[in-house]
Amino acid sequence: MSPRRTLPLSPAVTAWLQKCRWACGEKCFTESCNHSENPTFEAILAQRVSRRTALRGVAGVALVLALGQASLSHTEASSRGRLTFRPIRLNSDDRVTVPEGYGTTVVIRWGDPLESWGPEFRVDAQSPEAQAHQFGYNADFVGLFPLPLLTNNPNRGLLAVNHEYTNPELMFPNYRQGDPEPWQVAVELEAHGVTIVEITQRGRGNWVYLRGSRYNRRITATTRCELTGPAAGSDWLKTSADPTGTVVLGTLNNCAGGKTPWGTLLTCEENFHQYFGNLDALDSTDPRVAVHKRYGIPAGKSERVWERFDRRFDVTREPNEPFRFGWVVEIDPYDPTFVPKKRTALGRFKHEAATVVINRDGRVVVYSGDDERFEYVYKFVSDGRFNPNNRQANLTLLDRGTLYVARFNPDGTGDWLPLVYGEGPLTEANGFTSQADVLINTRRAADLLGATKMDRPEDIETNPVNGRVYVVCTNNTRRNWNQIDPANPRGNNRHGHIIELIEADGDYTATRFTWEIFLLCGDPANPDDLVFAAGFDPSQISPISCPDNITFDAWGNMWIATDGQSGTFRRNDGIYAVPTSGSERGYVRMFLSGPRGCEICGPEFAPDFQTLFCAIQHPGEGGTFAQPISSWPDGTVPRPSVIATWKTTGDPRIGG
Ligand code: FEO
Ligand code: CA
Ligand code: CA
C-alpha cells in the first residue's frame, strides 16, 4: 500500500491523459480522435491543470498553509478515528456481508406489526387496513431520534424510516402489470410514506423494535398533510377536494431526508411524477402543461395506472394535484398527533434529501439535491434563527427564507443564485407572478438563472469535523463527452462522483463557495473508469459505483451507501468508508454488502457510533414473486428491512 500525499488532483490529470492513451492511443491531438472533435474535453483538462498550476503560486501557498492548519487541527480526530477494518469484496450473495469482527441483525422488516394487537404479516392475506399498521415497503431514509427528546441516548430512540416506493411484482402473488386489482393499489398506498417506531438495544447489538409503543406511527399516501410557507394556498395548489390549496392526502416517493437540531424529521418527496397519468389529455395551451412536462409527468397512462382507481392521480381530472408533491415534509416524530407539513419555501423538485446545518449566526441552512439527470443542487437559508430554548418556535423556521441554486464555475469557485420572485429573470416576462410560482416551478426558475446541470444530485451532507459540504452525484449515462464540465467531468458517467464544497469563510449562508472533485467512482482495475480517490492511490481502493446516501462519523470519515452496482458491476450494492483528511484521505474501503437486488440506504449511526443502521431497500428487485432472485432475510419472500451492524470484538467503534 502506498498512500499518496501529493496534490489532490494530480492523479486525476494523469487519469485523463490515460483515458486518451487507452481510448485512442493519444490521437486526441490529431483530427482523427473523437475527443479532439470535442473542444470541451481539452478545455476542461487545461482548466484543471491550470488550476493546479495556479495553486503553486502565491495563492496556492496560502491555500496549502490553510489546509495544513486545518489538517493539524484534525490530526487528533483523524488518528483516533482511523479505520482499521479489513475491506470486504463485492459479491452476489443473497445475504448481508460485513467484515470480520462485526455482527448484523434485522431490526424491522416490511409487514412487521407496529401495534401490540397486530395485525401479523401474511403475504397471502394482505389488506390496506393491515398495511396501515405495519412497517411499509422499500425502506430508504433512516433517522434515529434518541429518547428522551434531545438527548444522546445511544440505546433507545425513535427510528424514522421512509418507504420510497412499492414493487408490486414482488409484493403480490398474482400482480398483473398494468392491470392491478383495486385492493392491491390500496395496499400500495398504505405501504408508501414513513414509519416512526420505537427501538431499543437489549444487550450489545440486540436492537429490537417495540410493538405497541405510543410513538409508533404510520404516515402513508393517504395521511392528511398540510402545505405551509409561501406557496400554500396558491391557486395552483387547489383541487376539487381541497379548495384551500393547503391540505394534501399523503406523501409519496419519500426517498432520503434529514433531521433538524430541534428533533424533527425532514422526509423528501422524490420521483412523484410516476404516480400521475394522462397529461396529454390536458389542453396544450394550459400553462400547467409545460410545468408538468418539465417535471416528467407521463403523457399517457402511468406505469402503475393508479389514475384508474383514484381521480387525484388523473391529471386530466385534477390538473393541480401533482403540484402538491415534490416537497420537503417536516414531521415531529415525538408527537404522534403531528400533522406533516410540506414546507414549500424549500422548493418543489425531486428532492433526494434535506440536510440541515445551523450557521454560526443561528440561521438554518438546508442542502438538497434534485435527483434527475442534468438537474441542480440547492440550499435554503432561513430568515429566522434557531432557538435552542424554544422548540415550538423552531417549528416554523422552514417557512420563511431564501432558496438558492448552485452554479459551479470552471475555475473552482461557485455561486449560490437566489430564487427570488422579481429578481433577475424571475418576473412576469417569464411567467412568474409571485414567489409561489417560483417555488412551484423551481426547476424552470433555476434554468433561467443558469445553474449548473449535474449528474443526478443525490445526498448532500456536511462533515462535522472539517465543515465541508459533500455533494453526491450518483451517475448520468446520458451526459456525452461534448457535455462535460469540470463539476461533471466524465461523459457516460456510469459510476458517479462526489464533490467537496467549501462555503466562503466557513459561512453556510454565503453566496460564494469553492469546490473540488473528491471521488470519481468506478473500478480502479478498469482504466476507462478514470477513477480518482482524492489523491489516494486508486489501485488500493475498493471498486465503488453509484454513490447515493452518505453520512459521517464523529471523526469525519465518510460512509457511502450505493444504489446501482447490480447494473454496473453485476454485484450487490454496499456501504463504503473513506477518510476525508490525513494520509488516508480518499482510501475507499468496502464495509458492507447487501443481499441480491437491493440498494442500501440510510446509513445512520447511533449517537455513540457503536451501531450503524441502514436500510436494505428492494431486495430481490429484478425478480418477481413467482421467480424470485432473493429470499432475504427469512428464506421466504424478500422483505425490505432496516438492519443494525455492530462490532463484536475489540474497540466497539464502527470502523475502528
Ligand atoms: Fe430515491 Fe435519488 O434515490
Ligand atoms: Ca436515494
Ligand atoms: Ca437512489
Side-chain angles (χ1 to χ4, degrees), residues 226-286:
E226 288 175 4
L227 289 151
T228 71
S234 157
D235 283 347
W236 280 29
L237 296 180
K238 295 173 180 169
T239 63
S240 56
D242 172 32
T244 70
T246 59
V247 179
V248 187
L249 286 187
T251 179
L252 283 167
N253 213 260
N254 304 73
C255 190
K259 298 189 296 184
T260 68
W262 51 94
T264 60
L265 163 72
L266 300 182
T267 173
C268 294
E269 297 182 322
E270 194 190 33
N271 295 306
F272 63 90
H273 63 287
Q274 65 181 280
Y275 303 98
F276 297 93
N278 297 338
L279 178 62
D280 58 4
L282 267 191
D283 182 345
S284 62
T285 61
D286 187 321

Side-chain angles (χ1 to χ4, degrees), residues 255 352 458 548-549:
C255 190
E352 165 71 23
E458 297 260 22
D548 189 340
N549 298 136

Side-chain angles (χ1 to χ4, degrees), residues 17-38 41-42:
L17 293 169
Q18 280 174 343
K19 165 75 184 168
C20 296
R21 189 175 306 130
W22 282 306
C24 60
E26 281 179 330
K27 290 195 289 288
C28 287
F29 303 102
T30 73
E31 287 179 2
S32 64
C33 176
N34 285 339
H35 295 168
S36 71
E37 292 163 16
N38 173 4
F41 174 79
E42 289 180 356

Side-chain angles (χ1 to χ4, degrees), residues 2 24 54 178 184-185 220 299 320 329 355 378 420 465 562 573 617 637:
S2 56
C24 60
Q184 291 172 327
V185 173
T220 75
N320 289 346
V329 189
T355 296
Y378 297 85
V420 177
V465 175
T562 67
D573 277 303
Q617 178 166 180
V637 57

Side-chain angles (χ1 to χ4, degrees), residues 198-217:
E198 184 175 350
I199 60 169
T200 191
Q201 185 176 216
R202 291 183 174 149
R204 182 134 191 80
N206 186 22
W207 283 95
V208 292
Y209 82 93
L210 302 180
R211 276 179 74 165
S213 162
R214 71 182 183 89
Y215 295 106
N216 292 357
R217 180 182 185 192

Side-chain angles (χ1 to χ4, degrees), residues 608-620:
D608 59 2
F609 297 92
Q610 295 182 15
T611 300
L612 177 63
F613 297 98
C614 68
I616 303 295
Q617 178 166 180
H618 56 73

